[in-house]
Amino acid sequence: MSASVPEAAPLPTHRSCPFDPPPEYGRLREQDPVSALAFPDGNTGWLLTRHEDVRALLADDRFSSDRTRASLPVRGFLFRRDDPRSRAGQLISMDPPEHTRYRQMLTRYFTVRRMRALAPRVEQIVTEHLDAMERTGPPVDLVPAFARPVPSLVICELLGVPYADHPAFQHWTSTLLSLDSDEGTALAALDALTEYLLRLVADKRRHPDDALISTLIATADGQEPGEALTDREVAGIGRLLLAAGHETTANMLALGTYTLLAHPAQTEQLREHPERADRAVEELLRYLTIVQFGTVRVAREDLVIAGRHIRAGQTVVASLPAANRDPDHFPHPDELDLTRAPSQHVAFGHGIHQCLGQQLARVEMQIAFPALLRRFPTLRLAGPPEQVPMRDDMFIYGVHSLPLTWDT
């Protein structure tokens, strides 16, 4: 790793508004867009905060995505660094050609056409949960009543994971994504989730269905020797898709609802014009950017970014929240504008590692937000805004709970 860099500072994490990234990002973007970054492990690297630089980095093959070689801006235990088996199927931390093999195998199952074909089932799931909220009556915590179960049920059905097991796998993934988890607790959760999925893959071999895990097993069995996926690889892919498929969309639904309620004029536009949900969702993705600590890359060679000399082996963090608030790319970036034209935001990343499930997330949000607002026209917070507990302590930003009420 790199030698000490003068004036290196830790990643900014303090927010002054629940909907905005830390204000320090704005100063860095203007005054020091490639700034020296101090990592918790004692190493130093670089932080990118401009949209142009972030997109360029994420598309630059002179950088590696292998997290086993990187310093991390916050603690993370998504796999065991000392056990190569733990990385099986974790394509977000791989480079070509290893990454290409997985990505080509999976992309066909997450096309725009395939995800839009799921819309009727997503609408049914959304309606069922809104019906349950209405029967229960206010106040209701949106997180367990709607935001979490809707995407969880969708990804479970897509993968072939029994939804009845959701309390267990949601606990494991939450533990892995919590900054407060100690190493022993996090790795125990990782092992439990991995063993669960290995058992599930073994069961799918004996009792296949038409969901994705069984499809991957069948596809792998038809590959040439040396190309077939092992059970551990299928389980690793399942672990990645299961965690990403419910954690990210669940937090966008909850935080997005909180954001809409804080912007009533914008909310009323979406309620009256649900056909504009596609633009509204893109703007919420840009405005909130819940992958709050950015994404990491490691320089493969010595190079220069915006006049800064980056040495081979140094870790560079691309701040997605800072890039998505760059005034040089987004007019009035700190304003929520649900009619904003398509803007090349980087909430889903960019380049070969751009989020595989982004089209599914879009379908879920484009259906869920308008449906929620139409069902409950007087929807509002059930308590003071300052009492909403924010997920500052989690890798994926959002709210821990969101008590809501409405007129009956």
Side-chain angles (χ1 to χ4, degrees):
M1 290 291 178
S2 67
S4 177
V5 176
E7 301 180 4
L11 189 77
T13 58
H14 178 71
R15 295 173 183 258
S16 57
C17 170
F19 311 122
D20 295 333
E24 178 67 6
Y25 281 132
R27 186 193 68 80
L28 289 173
R29 190 175 50 237
E30 181 178 347
Q31 300 177 12
D32 194 10
V34 183
S35 56
L37 184 63
F39 292 97
D41 63 4
N43 289 305
T44 53
W46 302 93
L47 173 66
L48 306 188
T49 48
R50 291 193 306 202
H51 182 272
E52 178 184 5
D53 295 334
V54 165
R55 273 180 60 95
L57 172 76
L58 298 180
D60 193 334
D61 62 8
R62 295 176 298 171
F63 290 89
S64 169
S65 297
D66 185 354
R67 297 185 186 188
T68 64
R69 301 167 55 191
S71 292
L72 301 179
V74 295
R75 290 194 310 165
F77 302 99
L78 297 181
F79 53 82
R80 287 181 176 270
R81 290 191 176 212
D82 58 350
D83 183 358
R85 298 180 306 166
S86 181
R87 293 186 64 242
Q90 301 299 292
L91 63 159
I92 62 171
S93 185
M94 294 177 177
D95 298 318
E98 191 178 21
H99 170 269
T100 308
R101 170 178 172 248
Y102 287 121
R103 187 83 183 199
Q104 289 180 343
M105 189 177 299
L106 291 168
T107 298
R108 74 190 78 170
Y109 303 113
F110 290 91
T111 62
V112 174
R113 180 180 62 82
R114 281 179 178 263
M115 295 303 98
R116 287 178 178 169
L118 296 176
R121 177 56 181 149
V122 174
E123 290 172 354
Q124 182 182 10
I125 292 171
V126 165
T127 299
E128 289 170 353
H129 284 81
L130 292 176
D131 290 346
M133 286 176 58
E134 195 166 19
R135 286 194 301 269
T136 300
V140 167
D141 184 350
L142 191 74
V143 173
F146 185 75
R148 188 186 296 138
V150 168
S152 294
L153 188 51
V154 171
I155 196 64
C156 281
E157 292 186 358
L158 183 65
L159 294 176
V161 174
Y163 182 68
D165 295 338
H166 76 274
F169 68 69
Q170 286 175 352
H171 169 72
W172 294 324
T173 56
S174 292
T175 301
L176 288 171
L177 294 171
S178 173
L179 305 185
D180 295 331
S181 296
D182 61 66
E183 183 174 1
T185 301
L187 292 179
L190 175 63
D191 291 343
L193 180 57
T194 301
E195 290 303 316
Y196 169 79
L197 285 159
L198 284 169
R199 291 194 301 271
L200 182 64
V201 170
D203 181 68
K204 297 294 184 184
R205 283 197 176 277
R206 295 189 299 268
H207 309 289
D209 54 29
D210 58 357
L212 183 56
I213 289 177
S214 290
T215 301
L216 289 176
I217 293 170
T219 300
D221 289 344
Q223 297 286 323
E224 294 295 325
E227 295 181 1
L229 294 173
T230 65
D231 282 9
R232 190 167 286 275
E233 286 178 303
V234 176
I237 291 170
R239 189 176 85 211
L240 177 63
L241 296 178
L242 184 62
H246 78 269
E247 280 286 347
T248 52
T249 306
N251 284 291
M252 272 302 303
L253 288 175
L255 182 61
T257 299
Y258 183 20
T259 305
L260 290 170
L261 295 179
H263 297 81
Q266 297 282 315
T267 302
E268 195 57 33
Q269 289 182 23
L270 181 56
R271 183 181 284 117
E272 293 179 358
H273 300 283
E275 72 279 3
R276 300 176 185 172
D278 54 346
R279 285 198 175 188
V281 165
E282 297 306 310
E283 174 67 350
L284 286 168
L285 286 163
R286 180 201 70 84
Y287 187 73
L288 297 173
T289 314
I290 60 173
V291 181
Q292 62 174 333
F293 303 124
T295 188
V296 299
R297 297 290 187 266
V298 179
R300 301 175 187 268
E301 60 189 66
D302 293 348
L303 46 87
V304 176
I305 300 178
R308 291 287 198 184
H309 292 271
I310 314 296
R311 290 198 299 275
Q314 285 193 296
T315 298
V316 181
V317 175
S319 175
L320 307 183
N324 278 340
R325 294 295 188 95
D326 187 345
D328 287 342
H329 188 81
F330 304 98
H332 309 291
D334 295 326
E335 295 179 8
L336 180 71
D337 179 5
L338 299 186
T339 65
R340 191 183 297 269
S343 58
Q344 289 189 325
H345 67 72
V346 291
F348 288 123
H350 180 60
I352 64 171
H353 286 281
Q354 193 170 23
C355 176
L356 182 68
Q358 62 182 290
Q359 302 304 338
L360 175 60
R362 286 185 168 105
V363 168
E364 291 171 325
M365 287 186 282
Q366 288 169 7
I367 292 170
F369 283 127
L372 175 67
L373 296 177
R374 288 197 307 270
R375 180 66 69 95
F376 303 111
T378 57
L379 192 69
R380 59 190 182 274
L381 293 180
E386 59 270 19
Q387 293 184 4
V388 175
M390 307 307 299
R391 286 170 54 105
D392 299 296
D393 58 336
M394 306 293 285
F395 185 78
I396 304 297
Y397 188 60
V399 296
H400 285 291
S401 64
L402 190 68
L404 300 178
T405 189
W406 58 88
D407 297 338
T408 58

